[in-house]
Amino acid sequence: MRVRFIIPGAIDTPSGGYRYDRQIIEEMALIGADVDLVSLPGSTYPFPDKAALSKIDDVIAAAKPADIAVVDGLAGGVLPGLLANLASTMPVVALIHHPLFLEAGLSKAQIEAFRGSEAAGLSHVKAVITTSPATTRTVQEMFGFDPEHIHTVIPGVERGPKNKVQMGEEARILSIGSISERKGHDVMIDALARIKDLRFRLDIAGASFGNDALLASLKQRVIQAGLESRVTFHGAVTESELDQLYASADFFALASRYEGYGMVYAEAIVRGLPVIGTDGGAIPDTIPPDCGLIAKAGDSGTLSEHLRTMIENHDVRQAMRQAALAAEPAFPTWKSAGALFLETLRSVA
Protein backbone atom coordinates (compact mmCIF):
# COMPACT_ATOMS: atom_id res chain seq x y z
CA MET A 1 0.00 0.00 0.00
CA ARG A 2 1.29 3.46 -0.93
CA VAL A 3 0.69 5.95 1.88
CA ARG A 4 1.29 9.69 1.63
CA PHE A 5 1.84 10.88 5.19
CA ILE A 6 1.65 14.66 5.44
CA ILE A 7 2.98 16.53 8.45
CA PRO A 8 3.71 20.20 9.19
CA GLY A 9 7.40 21.00 9.55
CA ALA A 10 10.14 18.58 10.58
CA ILE A 11 9.43 15.00 11.64
CA ASP A 12 12.14 15.13 14.33
CA THR A 13 10.37 17.93 16.21
CA PRO A 14 10.54 16.93 19.92
CA SER A 15 6.89 16.55 20.88
CA GLY A 16 4.48 13.73 21.56
CA GLY A 17 2.51 14.27 18.37
CA TYR A 18 5.55 14.14 16.13
CA ARG A 19 6.90 11.14 18.00
CA TYR A 20 3.62 9.35 17.32
CA ASP A 21 3.92 10.16 13.63
CA ARG A 22 7.57 9.00 13.51
CA GLN A 23 6.85 5.71 15.22
CA ILE A 24 3.75 4.91 13.17
CA ILE A 25 5.55 5.69 9.90
CA GLU A 26 8.52 3.52 10.94
CA GLU A 27 6.34 0.58 11.95
CA MET A 28 4.18 0.74 8.80
CA ALA A 29 7.33 0.76 6.66
CA LEU A 30 8.67 -2.30 8.51
CA ILE A 31 5.42 -4.13 7.78
CA GLY A 32 5.84 -3.37 4.08
CA ALA A 33 3.89 -0.22 3.38
CA ASP A 34 5.42 2.29 0.96
CA VAL A 35 5.25 5.45 3.06
CA ASP A 36 6.08 8.79 1.47
CA LEU A 37 6.68 11.35 4.22
CA VAL A 38 5.71 14.82 3.00
CA SER A 39 6.85 17.66 5.27
CA LEU A 40 5.01 20.90 4.66
CA PRO A 41 7.17 24.05 4.77
CA GLY A 42 7.10 26.23 7.87
CA SER A 43 7.64 25.71 11.58
CA THR A 44 4.93 27.82 13.19
CA TYR A 45 1.90 25.53 12.87
CA PRO A 46 -0.95 25.85 13.64
CA PHE A 47 -0.15 29.43 12.59
CA PRO A 48 1.66 28.94 9.25
CA ASP A 49 3.12 32.08 7.73
CA LYS A 50 2.43 33.31 4.19
CA ALA A 51 5.81 32.17 2.91
CA ALA A 52 5.09 28.61 4.00
CA LEU A 53 1.57 28.66 2.59
CA SER A 54 2.83 29.80 -0.80
CA LYS A 55 5.00 26.68 -1.15
CA ILE A 56 2.50 24.01 -0.12
CA ASP A 57 1.05 23.33 -3.58
CA ASP A 58 4.52 22.76 -5.05
CA VAL A 59 5.44 20.38 -2.23
CA ILE A 60 2.28 18.35 -2.74
CA ALA A 61 2.74 18.31 -6.51
CA ALA A 62 6.23 16.83 -6.05
CA ALA A 63 4.99 13.98 -3.82
CA LYS A 64 5.04 10.37 -4.99
CA PRO A 65 1.81 8.75 -6.25
CA ALA A 66 -0.19 7.24 -3.40
CA ASP A 67 -3.27 5.16 -2.66
CA ILE A 68 -4.28 7.16 0.39
CA ALA A 69 -3.24 10.32 2.22
CA VAL A 70 -2.89 10.79 5.97
CA VAL A 71 -2.79 14.41 7.13
CA ASP A 72 -1.68 15.31 10.64
CA GLY A 73 -4.28 17.51 12.30
CA LEU A 74 -1.76 20.19 13.23
CA ALA A 75 -1.71 21.00 9.50
CA GLY A 76 -5.06 19.67 8.33
CA GLY A 77 -6.92 21.57 11.02
CA VAL A 78 -5.86 24.91 9.53
CA LEU A 79 -5.64 23.92 5.85
CA PRO A 80 -9.10 22.76 4.77
CA GLY A 81 -8.22 23.65 1.18
CA LEU A 82 -5.36 21.14 1.24
CA LEU A 83 -7.73 18.39 2.40
CA ALA A 84 -10.22 19.32 -0.31
CA ASN A 85 -7.58 19.17 -3.05
CA LEU A 86 -6.23 15.84 -1.85
CA ALA A 87 -9.73 14.36 -1.60
CA SER A 88 -10.24 14.99 -5.32
CA THR A 89 -7.50 12.47 -6.13
CA MET A 90 -7.46 9.90 -3.30
CA PRO A 91 -9.07 8.95 0.03
CA VAL A 92 -7.94 11.24 2.85
CA VAL A 93 -7.63 10.35 6.53
CA ALA A 94 -7.31 13.07 9.16
CA LEU A 95 -5.03 12.12 12.05
CA ILE A 96 -6.23 14.05 15.10
CA HIS A 97 -4.11 14.02 18.24
CA HIS A 98 -6.43 16.57 19.81
CA PRO A 99 -8.65 19.28 18.27
CA LEU A 100 -6.76 22.54 17.80
CA PHE A 101 -9.53 24.68 19.24
CA LEU A 102 -8.98 23.01 22.64
CA GLU A 103 -5.41 24.31 22.93
CA ALA A 104 -4.94 26.44 26.05
CA GLY A 105 -4.26 30.17 25.80
CA LEU A 106 -6.28 30.88 22.65
CA SER A 107 -8.46 33.94 22.27
CA LYS A 108 -12.17 33.52 21.66
CA ALA A 109 -11.64 34.54 18.03
CA GLN A 110 -8.88 31.96 17.59
CA ILE A 111 -11.01 29.23 19.15
CA GLU A 112 -13.85 29.93 16.74
CA ALA A 113 -11.47 30.18 13.77
CA PHE A 114 -9.90 26.82 14.56
CA ARG A 115 -13.25 25.18 15.19
CA GLY A 116 -14.49 26.45 11.83
CA SER A 117 -11.41 25.43 9.84
CA GLU A 118 -11.30 21.99 11.46
CA ALA A 119 -14.96 21.40 10.68
CA ALA A 120 -14.44 22.54 7.09
CA GLY A 121 -11.47 20.24 6.66
CA LEU A 122 -13.25 17.22 8.10
CA SER A 123 -16.02 17.63 5.55
CA HIS A 124 -13.54 16.45 2.90
CA VAL A 125 -12.02 13.40 4.60
CA LYS A 126 -13.16 9.81 4.30
CA ALA A 127 -12.15 8.86 7.83
CA VAL A 128 -10.56 10.11 11.02
CA ILE A 129 -7.94 8.38 13.15
CA THR A 130 -7.60 9.62 16.73
CA THR A 131 -5.12 8.65 19.42
CA SER A 132 -7.60 7.96 22.22
CA PRO A 133 -11.25 7.05 22.86
CA ALA A 134 -11.68 10.45 24.53
CA THR A 135 -10.60 12.28 21.38
CA THR A 136 -12.86 10.02 19.32
CA ARG A 137 -15.80 11.12 21.47
CA THR A 138 -14.77 14.78 21.12
CA VAL A 139 -14.56 14.58 17.32
CA GLN A 140 -17.96 12.94 17.18
CA GLU A 141 -19.61 15.37 19.58
CA MET A 142 -17.95 18.64 18.54
CA PHE A 143 -17.91 18.12 14.78
CA GLY A 144 -20.78 15.68 14.29
CA PHE A 145 -18.50 13.28 12.42
CA ASP A 146 -19.99 9.86 11.62
CA PRO A 147 -18.78 7.54 14.41
CA GLU A 148 -18.56 4.62 11.97
CA HIS A 149 -15.72 6.43 10.22
CA ILE A 150 -13.74 7.39 13.35
CA HIS A 151 -11.00 4.97 14.35
CA THR A 152 -8.78 4.96 17.44
CA VAL A 153 -5.12 3.94 17.38
CA ILE A 154 -3.63 4.40 20.84
CA PRO A 155 0.09 5.27 20.95
CA GLY A 156 2.57 2.56 21.77
CA VAL A 157 5.00 2.84 24.65
CA GLU A 158 8.68 2.07 25.03
CA ARG A 159 9.46 -0.63 27.57
CA GLY A 160 12.34 1.21 29.23
CA PRO A 161 14.25 0.16 32.35
CA LYS A 162 12.09 -0.11 35.45
CA ASN A 163 12.56 2.59 38.06
CA LYS A 164 14.19 1.28 41.24
CA VAL A 165 14.94 4.47 43.16
CA GLN A 166 13.87 4.58 46.77
CA MET A 167 13.21 8.11 47.96
CA GLY A 168 16.21 9.68 49.66
CA GLU A 169 16.32 12.87 51.68
CA GLU A 170 14.24 14.69 49.08
CA ALA A 171 11.55 13.59 46.63
CA ARG A 172 12.53 13.72 42.95
CA ILE A 173 9.54 14.72 40.83
CA LEU A 174 9.65 14.41 37.03
CA SER A 175 7.49 16.42 34.59
CA ILE A 176 7.78 15.94 30.83
CA GLY A 177 5.97 18.45 28.66
CA SER A 178 6.72 21.23 26.22
CA ILE A 179 6.67 24.83 27.41
CA SER A 180 3.08 25.71 26.60
CA GLU A 181 0.09 26.87 28.61
CA ARG A 182 -1.66 23.57 28.00
CA LYS A 183 0.97 21.62 29.93
CA GLY A 184 0.14 23.45 33.17
CA HIS A 185 3.67 24.05 34.44
CA ASP A 186 2.36 27.21 36.11
CA VAL A 187 -0.17 25.14 38.06
CA MET A 188 2.58 22.75 39.13
CA ILE A 189 4.76 25.59 40.40
CA ASP A 190 1.84 27.10 42.34
CA ALA A 191 1.06 23.69 43.86
CA LEU A 192 4.65 23.15 44.97
CA ALA A 193 4.73 26.63 46.51
CA ARG A 194 2.02 25.40 48.91
CA ILE A 195 4.18 22.55 50.25
CA LYS A 196 7.55 24.22 50.68
CA ASP A 197 7.80 22.63 54.13
CA LEU A 198 8.56 19.34 52.35
CA ARG A 199 11.84 18.42 50.67
CA PHE A 200 11.60 17.91 46.92
CA ARG A 201 13.11 18.68 43.54
CA LEU A 202 11.20 19.10 40.28
CA ASP A 203 12.79 18.31 36.92
CA ILE A 204 10.91 19.69 33.89
CA ALA A 205 11.93 18.28 30.51
CA GLY A 206 10.42 19.77 27.37
CA ALA A 207 11.19 22.00 24.40
CA SER A 208 10.11 25.64 24.44
CA PHE A 209 9.28 25.84 20.70
CA GLY A 210 10.00 29.56 20.74
CA ASN A 211 7.71 30.27 23.69
CA ASP A 212 10.48 32.33 25.28
CA ALA A 213 8.11 34.75 26.99
CA LEU A 214 6.20 31.91 28.65
CA LEU A 215 9.42 30.21 29.72
CA ALA A 216 10.68 33.48 31.22
CA SER A 217 7.40 33.98 33.09
CA LEU A 218 7.55 30.42 34.47
CA LYS A 219 11.10 30.96 35.70
CA GLN A 220 10.01 34.22 37.32
CA ARG A 221 7.12 32.37 38.93
CA VAL A 222 9.60 29.89 40.38
CA ILE A 223 11.69 32.73 41.84
CA GLN A 224 8.63 34.44 43.32
CA ALA A 225 7.64 31.16 44.95
CA GLY A 226 11.10 30.77 46.46
CA LEU A 227 11.71 27.53 44.57
CA GLU A 228 14.67 28.52 42.40
CA SER A 229 16.96 25.95 44.05
CA ARG A 230 14.38 23.18 43.67
CA VAL A 231 13.03 23.50 40.09
CA THR A 232 15.14 22.82 36.99
CA PHE A 233 14.06 23.48 33.39
CA HIS A 234 16.08 21.03 31.26
CA GLY A 235 14.63 22.03 27.87
CA ALA A 236 14.61 19.44 25.10
CA VAL A 237 16.57 16.36 26.18
CA THR A 238 18.13 13.37 24.42
CA GLU A 239 16.85 9.83 24.94
CA SER A 240 19.80 9.02 27.21
CA GLU A 241 19.21 12.17 29.26
CA LEU A 242 15.54 11.26 29.54
CA ASP A 243 16.47 7.77 30.74
CA GLN A 244 18.59 9.34 33.46
CA LEU A 245 15.73 11.60 34.55
CA TYR A 246 13.37 8.61 34.71
CA ALA A 247 15.93 6.60 36.68
CA SER A 248 16.34 9.32 39.32
CA ALA A 249 12.62 10.09 39.69
CA ASP A 250 10.48 8.99 42.62
CA PHE A 251 7.24 9.77 40.81
CA PHE A 252 5.90 11.53 37.72
CA ALA A 253 3.61 14.58 37.85
CA LEU A 254 2.26 16.76 35.05
CA ALA A 255 -0.57 19.27 35.52
CA SER A 256 -1.63 19.34 31.87
CA ARG A 257 -4.84 21.21 31.20
CA TYR A 258 -5.75 18.91 28.31
CA GLU A 259 -4.31 15.85 26.54
CA GLY A 260 -5.60 13.97 23.54
CA TYR A 261 -4.01 10.86 25.06
CA GLY A 262 -1.07 11.65 27.35
CA MET A 263 1.85 9.51 26.16
CA VAL A 264 4.14 10.71 28.92
CA TYR A 265 1.81 9.41 31.63
CA ALA A 266 1.72 5.99 29.95
CA GLU A 267 5.48 5.84 29.57
CA ALA A 268 6.03 6.79 33.21
CA ILE A 269 3.67 4.02 34.28
CA VAL A 270 5.39 1.30 32.25
CA ARG A 271 8.65 2.39 33.89
CA GLY A 272 7.09 1.61 37.25
CA LEU A 273 6.54 5.19 38.39
CA PRO A 274 3.49 6.37 40.33
CA VAL A 275 1.89 9.33 38.56
CA ILE A 276 -0.09 12.45 39.31
CA GLY A 277 -2.25 13.81 36.51
CA THR A 278 -5.39 15.82 35.90
CA ASP A 279 -8.86 15.21 34.50
CA GLY A 280 -8.00 17.16 31.32
CA GLY A 281 -9.17 15.32 28.20
CA ALA A 282 -8.03 11.71 27.91
CA ILE A 283 -5.70 11.67 30.92
CA PRO A 284 -8.05 9.76 33.30
CA ASP A 285 -8.48 7.10 30.59
CA THR A 286 -4.71 6.81 30.13
CA ILE A 287 -3.88 6.37 33.83
CA PRO A 288 -5.20 2.98 35.02
CA PRO A 289 -6.92 2.77 38.41
CA ASP A 290 -4.54 2.58 41.38
CA CYS A 291 -1.56 3.81 39.34
CA GLY A 292 -1.89 7.47 40.23
CA LEU A 293 -3.80 10.41 41.63
CA ILE A 294 -6.00 12.76 39.58
CA ALA A 295 -6.60 16.46 40.25
CA LYS A 296 -9.01 18.77 38.48
CA ALA A 297 -7.24 20.54 35.63
CA GLY A 298 -6.04 23.97 36.76
CA ASP A 299 -6.63 23.22 40.46
CA SER A 300 -3.31 23.86 42.21
CA GLY A 301 -4.88 23.29 45.64
CA THR A 302 -5.90 19.68 45.04
CA LEU A 303 -2.68 19.10 43.11
CA SER A 304 -0.64 20.23 46.12
CA GLU A 305 -2.55 17.80 48.35
CA HIS A 306 -1.76 14.96 45.93
CA LEU A 307 1.89 15.98 45.83
CA ARG A 308 2.03 15.98 49.63
CA THR A 309 0.44 12.54 49.78
CA MET A 310 2.90 11.14 47.24
CA ILE A 311 5.92 12.64 49.01
CA GLU A 312 4.93 11.76 52.58
CA ASN A 313 3.24 8.38 52.18
CA HIS A 314 5.67 5.55 51.37
CA ASP A 315 2.88 2.94 51.33
CA VAL A 316 0.87 4.89 48.74
CA ARG A 317 3.89 5.22 46.46
CA GLN A 318 4.77 1.55 46.72
CA ALA A 319 1.18 0.42 46.08
CA MET A 320 1.01 2.62 42.99
CA ARG A 321 4.39 1.36 41.81
CA GLN A 322 3.17 -2.23 42.01
CA ALA A 323 -0.06 -1.29 40.21
CA ALA A 324 1.98 0.43 37.49
CA LEU A 325 4.14 -2.65 36.95
CA ALA A 326 1.02 -4.82 36.78
CA ALA A 327 -0.62 -2.47 34.25
CA GLU A 328 2.30 -2.52 31.80
CA PRO A 329 1.03 -5.40 29.59
CA ALA A 330 -2.20 -3.49 28.88
CA PHE A 331 -0.33 -0.75 27.04
CA PRO A 332 0.27 -1.44 23.32
CA THR A 333 3.68 -1.61 21.71
CA TRP A 334 4.57 0.64 18.79
CA LYS A 335 4.67 -2.47 16.62
CA SER A 336 1.04 -3.29 17.39
CA ALA A 337 0.02 0.37 17.02
CA GLY A 338 1.66 0.57 13.59
CA ALA A 339 -0.01 -2.64 12.47
CA LEU A 340 -3.43 -1.37 13.58
CA PHE A 341 -2.86 1.99 11.87
CA LEU A 342 -2.02 0.31 8.56
CA GLU A 343 -4.94 -2.10 8.91
CA THR A 344 -7.22 0.89 9.42
CA LEU A 345 -5.88 2.62 6.31
CA ARG A 346 -6.46 -0.51 4.25
CA SER A 347 -10.06 -0.68 5.45
CA VAL A 348 -10.58 2.96 4.45
CA ALA A 349 -8.93 2.72 1.02
Side-chain angles (χ1 to χ4, degrees), residues 132-195:
S132 74
T135 301
T136 291
R137 293 191 295 269
T138 299
V139 171
Q140 180 183 348
E141 295 168 2
M142 296 296 183
F143 298 112
F145 202 86
D146 186 346
E148 292 187 4
H149 298 292
I150 307 177
H151 310 269
T152 302
V153 180
I154 294 173
V157 291
E158 298 287 348
R159 263 64 178 179
K162 298 300 180 286
N163 180 280
K164 297 179 181 179
V165 170
Q166 299 295 318
M167 189 178 294
E169 294 184 355
E170 62 182 8
R172 294 296 297 268
I173 308 166
L174 176 61
S175 285
I176 303 172
S178 59
I179 302 303
S180 69
E181 289 193 38
R182 183 164 59 85
K183 296 300 181 180
H185 297 307
D186 56 329
V187 182
M188 180 65 67
I189 294 165
D190 291 349
L192 291 173
R194 295 168 178 256
I195 56 170

Side-chain angles (χ1 to χ4, degrees), residues 27 65 178 208 230-231 243 257 325 341:
E27 295 297 338
S178 59
S208 63
R230 303 207 237 175
V231 178
D243 284 340
R257 290 179 166 89
L325 294 172
F341 201 101

Side-chain angles (χ1 to χ4, degrees), residues 143-338:
F143 298 112
F145 202 86
D146 186 346
E148 292 187 4
H149 298 292
I150 307 177
H151 310 269
T152 302
V153 180
I154 294 173
V157 291
E158 298 287 348
R159 263 64 178 179
K162 298 300 180 286
N163 180 280
K164 297 179 181 179
V165 170
Q166 299 295 318
M167 189 178 294
E169 294 184 355
E170 62 182 8
R172 294 296 297 268
I173 308 166
L174 176 61
S175 285
I176 303 172
S178 59
I179 302 303
S180 69
E181 289 193 38
R182 183 164 59 85
K183 296 300 181 180
H185 297 307
D186 56 329
V187 182
M188 180 65 67
I189 294 165
D190 291 349
L192 291 173
R194 295 168 178 256
I195 56 170
K196 288 194 293 183
D197 57 300
L198 303 179
R199 301 189 67 178
F200 59 80
R201 287 189 58 84
L202 171 65
D203 293 297
I204 300 175
S208 63
F209 295 118
N211 291 325
D212 297 334
L214 178 57
L215 179 57
S217 71
L218 289 172
K219 290 182 176 180
Q220 184 60 36
R221 200 182 202 99
V222 168
I223 293 172
Q224 291 173 346
L227 298 172
E228 57 267 37
S229 64
R230 303 207 237 175
V231 178
T232 303
F233 292 89
H234 293 269
V237 297
T238 65
E239 288 296 323
S240 62
E241 290 170 335
L242 188 58
D243 284 340
Q244 292 174 5
L245 288 171
Y246 272 124
S248 63
D250 293 302
F251 62 91
F252 179 89
L254 181 66
S256 189
R257 290 179 166 89
Y258 183 90
E259 293 288 347
Y261 176 69
M263 290 169 55
V264 290
Y265 297 98
E267 293 191 340
I269 289 168
V270 301
R271 300 252 187 167
L273 285 174
V275 300
I276 297 177
T278 74
D279 62 357
I283 299 171
D285 295 334
T286 303
I287 301 175
D290 304 324
C291 291
L293 301 172
I294 302 293
K296 184 176 178 59
D299 181 357
S300 62
T302 302
L303 180 61
S304 70
E305 294 172 8
H306 289 342
L307 288 164
R308 179 178 290 278
T309 296
M310 199 73 83
I311 293 171
E312 292 186 325
N313 197 314
H314 171 81
D315 292 341
V316 167
R317 291 196 311 276
Q318 289 305 309
M320 289 182 180
R321 170 177 162 73
Q322 293 304 314
L325 294 172
E328 177 187 356
F331 289 93
T333 63
W334 282 113
K335 181 178 180 179
S336 64

